Each structure stands twice: as structure tokens, then as C-alpha cells.
Amino acid sequence: MLKGSYMIYADFNGSAIPHEAVKAYLSTRFEKGYFANPNAIHGHGQKILAGMSKCRRTCAKVLGADTNQIIFNSGASEGISAVFASLLHDKNQKRKTIVISSIEHSAVVNASKFYQSQDYEVIVIPVNSDGVVKISELEQVLKKKAQDIALVSIMAANNETGVIQPYQEISKLCQKYQVQYFSDTTQFIGKHDFNFQESGMDYAVLSGHKVGALIGSGILLVKNPEKLRPHIFGGGQENGCRGGTQNYIGIETLAIALDAFEKEKNKMGLCLERRLNFEKKLKEKFKNIVIIGEQAPRLASTTLVAYPGIHGQGVQIELESQDIFVTTSSACSDNEPTTSKVLKAMNVTDDIGRGVVRISLCLGQNPDAYDRIYSALENAYNKLAKIKNY
Ligand code: PLP
């Protein structure tokens, strides 16, 4: 580690460090705040309930939703399961087709697989080599099969590549063909401007730990909450949409983190500029370097980069020795890293797919974070390329 340098956590897409405003709030919350069941009728319960309503208003405002469209839950995986269950776990459901894209997160893929085992057909829409879903293919499917489609589930931004999907166009198509549209917005919200009502989506999700709030908190956004069938029954909390005593401390942190994002989102332009400079410098230094999804619109804070032939895990270890924490998106099988399903869907070859490292920062990043990461990557690539005799 360089003397005097600070640790850089560059895995915000994996899990964000709680926002400074959240940390400050929590440092006194346990001494000052109330603890009670928000559904209790005594004074403490009512105080918590009132606090939760205030948080709901803050979240609704930042997310461009009505307060009744906000359903607090435990995170994105729960929200995704709730949407699938509400639409598909219904014996009156006559439509028997689910449409997803080839780059969905396992939370969507595994939900689809489950309903496939329950006699639903799953149609997978491919992406182009930059990782953007092929809208024309989606339209073909909608044209042919709209009457039989129970759900279109296509994400807003990909967790590995940061590639932003044309969700507004997808919404319009789904509206045109009168099909329900759920978008996995887990990586999009808190990293990009988002307005639920303007998005045209029927459902969207958010995970607290991706936006700088507490892990175990989250939001399901529902256009028509009166139509949602609960996935967890409990005592009818969240207006009957999601049972179980609410995680009110998590909810408090959601409101704080989203409010902080709203105040900070003007930093997105600067963040994008720094990321583009960083990528440009890397490409000038190493001619073979590949930035995945380079030509597509991507989240301001995400880069997925590979040096062909050099394993990502080797690079990750080198960076970690410099106190910089990144991830690779490849899984390891028999000690040999494999190209992730997302990258395979983009036709990325194995020598690149095995080499990727994901650098994902936050909007409030340290101004010289990319410079430090650049130097560390330069050292890592030089060292590993020499060992490989490039
Ligand atoms: N969807 C996407 C795109 C994600 O990146 C993740 C988490 O990595 C999830 C869903 C699931 O989120 P959680 O594990 O917080 O429920």
C-alpha cells in the first residue's frame, strides 16, 4: 500500500457504503429515537408511524411517485419476487408467457425459472454487443404474442456493465400492446435521475444497500397498488400489500439516503467526466484494453474493463494490495474463471470475459479516486503482462 494513501472502496454496485448522512443519523438514533411497533396505538407507536409517513413522503417525492405507490420491504430480491408472484401465482392468470432480457440479474432469472417450472413459457430478448436490449426483437415478440404475455421484465441498468437500457421505449411498447412492465431498477435508482410516474413502468424496485441506506431495507414501486396481490401476508401492513412489521429504522435511512441523492445528483456530470477521462487514459496507455459496453450509455460511476488474457482475479488481488477494492464479474470453476452470463450474452470472448474487473464508485467519490485506481491498474497490468510475457 502507498504510504499516506487512503482506502478506495470501488464496489458500490455490489453494496454501497452507507451515505455520510445516514451514518451521522444512525450515530445518535439509538440513544435519541423511539422504538416501538409502528402499528401500535400507543404514543411511541404513533410517533414511529408518523415518522414512517414522513419518510414515505420523502421517498415518493424523490422517486416521482405517489405515497400509496411506495411499498416498503426488505430489498430488490423481495420486490422482484413480489411482482412475479402477484402476476403469475394466480390461478386466474390466462396469459402464460414471461419476457425477460438476456442480461437480467439472477433475482429475475431465478424467478422466471421457477415460473417456467409452473408451465409458463420464458422468452429471452437478446442484447447487442454493447449490452443494450434489442428493442426490435422485443417488438416482434409483443406483436406476435401480446395477448399471452403476463409480464415483461427488463432491467433499467445492468449491475456488471452499468449499461443503461432504453426503458422509456420499452414502457411505451408495453403500453401500446397492453402488457405489464416491470423494470429491475436496483442499479439505476440512486445513480441516475429517475421518476417512476414518468418512466411508464408498472413496477420498479430499489434496494437500500445499493443507495447508501441500511441493508435489509427497500422499496417496491407499484403503479396500481390496489391490484397487487401480497406475497407476504402478515398483519396487512403497507396497506395490505406487504405484511410484517416494518423495518422502520431501515425506512428512516432510505429517506435520508434518497434525500441525499437528490441533493447530490448534480455531481453526476462531473462523475461521468472523470470516468471518461480515466477510461481514455487507460486506452491510450494499453492499446489492447477493452471497456465493456463502451458505445452504450452507461451509469456515470461504473466501468467494466479487461486486459485480454489477464485474469481479472489477478488484477483484483494486485489492486487490493494497494487498498483498492474492486470485483470481477466472472465466477470461478475448477480454478479457472469463467465468462459471466451477461458478458456471454454480449458475445464477449473468454480471453476478455475472464479478465474483467468492475470499478463502481458513488457520486460523492473522492476527486482523485480515479487517478489512484488508474496508477494501481497500470502497475497491475504491467506486472501481470510481464509475467505472461506479453
Ligand atoms: N437486481 C440487480 C440488478 C442487482 O444488482 C441486485 C443486487 O446485486 C439485485 C437485483 C438484488 O438485490 P438485493 O440482493 O439487494 O435484493
Side-chain angles (χ1 to χ4, degrees):
M1 199 205 319
L2 298 172
K3 218 174 156 211
S5 64
Y6 58 94
M7 181 277 282
I8 296 181
Y9 179 79
D11 186 24
F12 275 75
N13 288 14
S15 195
I17 293 174
H19 193 280
E20 287 307 317
V22 168
K23 283 193 207 163
Y25 176 75
L26 288 177
S27 69
T28 58
R29 171 64 178 87
F30 292 92
E31 268 146 41
K32 282 195 192 152
Y34 288 93
F35 294 90
N37 190 321
N39 309 293
I41 52 166
H42 53 65
H44 287 203
Q46 293 302 297
K47 283 220 161 57
I48 300 274
L49 186 67
M52 235 166 46
S53 299
K54 195 169 161 221
C55 292
R56 200 182 299 277
R57 287 196 295 278
T58 303
C59 295
K61 190 161 172 246
V62 175
L63 298 172
D66 280 343
T67 49
N68 71 340
Q69 294 175 321
I70 301 268
I71 296 159
F72 289 123
N73 65 12
S74 70
S77 295
E78 185 190 321
I80 292 164
S81 300
V83 172
F84 274 68
S86 174
L87 290 170
L88 309 176
H89 200 79
D90 178 353
K91 62 180 178 352
N92 297 320
Q93 178 57 274
K94 300 276 183 301
R95 299 174 175 222
K96 289 291 173 196
T97 304
I98 310 164
V99 177
I100 66 172
S101 81
S102 56
I103 53 159
E104 294 303 307
H105 187 271
S106 52
V108 164
V109 173
N110 289 333
S112 304
K113 278 188 186 156
F114 173 75
Y115 287 100
Q116 196 171 29
S117 76
Q118 308 291 301
D119 288 340
Y120 281 88
E121 183 194 358
V122 178
I123 296 179
V124 181
I125 308 293
V127 293
N128 66 19
S129 57
D130 271 309
V132 180
V133 75
K134 291 185 174 167
I135 280 280
S136 57
E137 300 221 7
L138 174 65
E139 179 147 31
Q140 288 308 315
V141 169
L142 286 169
K143 236 184 216 162
K144 246 199 235 155
K145 291 202 73 146
Q147 297 296 319
D148 193 47
I149 297 172
L151 171 66
V152 168
S153 176
I154 298 181
M155 64 190 349
N158 184 266
N159 42 303
E160 290 179 33
T161 62
V163 171
I164 297 172
Q165 302 302 316
Y167 68 84
Q168 289 106 328
E169 282 178 67
I170 299 172
S171 285
K172 278 192 193 126
L173 281 177
C174 288
Q175 280 165 4
K176 177 172 163 192
Y177 290 96
Q178 296 185 349
V179 169
Q180 293 283 293
Y181 176 35
F182 160 63
S183 183
D184 179 355
T185 45
T186 311
Q187 295 291 345
F188 195 69
I189 295 178
K191 299 191 181 87
H192 201 285
D193 241 342
F194 177 73
N195 183 300
F196 180 59
Q197 289 179 348
E198 285 171 12
S199 76
M201 297 167 186
D202 293 293
Y203 309 89
V205 285
L206 173 163
S207 237
H209 73 111
K210 307 281 189 193
V211 298
L214 274 185
I215 190 146
S217 61
I219 296 174
L220 168 61
L221 287 153
V222 185
K223 187 175 182 178
N224 297 309
E226 66 288 351
K227 291 192 185 153
L228 188 84
R229 291 153 29 89
H231 171 55
I232 299 175
F233 296 101
Q237 291 90 344
E238 293 299 290
N239 231 353
C241 289
R242 194 270 191 181
T245 305
Q246 290 94 333
N247 170 8
Y248 56 87
I249 295 184
I251 290 168
E252 291 160 19
T253 66
L254 278 172
I256 293 169
L258 287 177
D259 184 53
F261 166 71
E262 185 68 9
K263 291 179 179 139
E264 245 177 20
K265 67 182 183 193
N266 58 351
K267 293 185 182 162
M268 221 166 67
L270 181 61
C271 182
L272 178 62
E273 200 182 303
R274 287 190 187 134
R275 192 205 79 202
L276 289 171
N277 275 339
F278 161 72
E279 292 174 354
K280 186 164 165 263
K281 258 170 68 184
L282 270 177
K283 286 182 67 185
E284 279 164 7
K285 176 78 190 178
F286 300 102
K287 296 287 171 251
N288 293 339
I289 222 154
V290 179
I291 309 287
I292 308 287
E294 190 176 7
Q295 303 307 323
R298 281 175 291 137
L299 296 171
S301 50
T302 306
T303 299
L304 189 64
V305 60
Y307 191 129
I310 293 184
H311 284 176
Q313 267 122 359
V315 182
Q316 182 195 343
I317 291 164
E318 285 299 321
L319 293 184
E320 198 152 329
S321 73
Q322 305 278 308
D323 225 9
I324 295 172
F325 296 83
V326 300
T327 49
T328 67
S329 67
S330 51
C332 220
S333 99
D334 299 333
N335 266 342
E336 184 68 19
T338 53
T339 304
S340 77
K341 291 193 182 88
V342 167
L343 298 184
K344 279 192 176 142
M346 295 166 68
N347 281 329
V348 171
T349 54
D350 280 344
D351 62 331
I352 296 168
R354 290 171 179 153
V356 292
V357 288
R358 182 181 68 185
I359 296 145
S360 58
L361 297 170
C362 62
L363 293 184
Q365 64 196 235
N366 216 307
D368 67 349
Y370 276 122
D371 292 339
R372 280 258 336 267
I373 298 171
Y374 172 82
S375 303
L377 260 183
E378 189 184 21
N379 289 340
Y381 284 147
N382 279 333
K383 179 171 166 188
L384 295 168
K386 206 183 278 164
I387 294 169
K388 281 211 122 193
N389 267 338
Y390 276 105

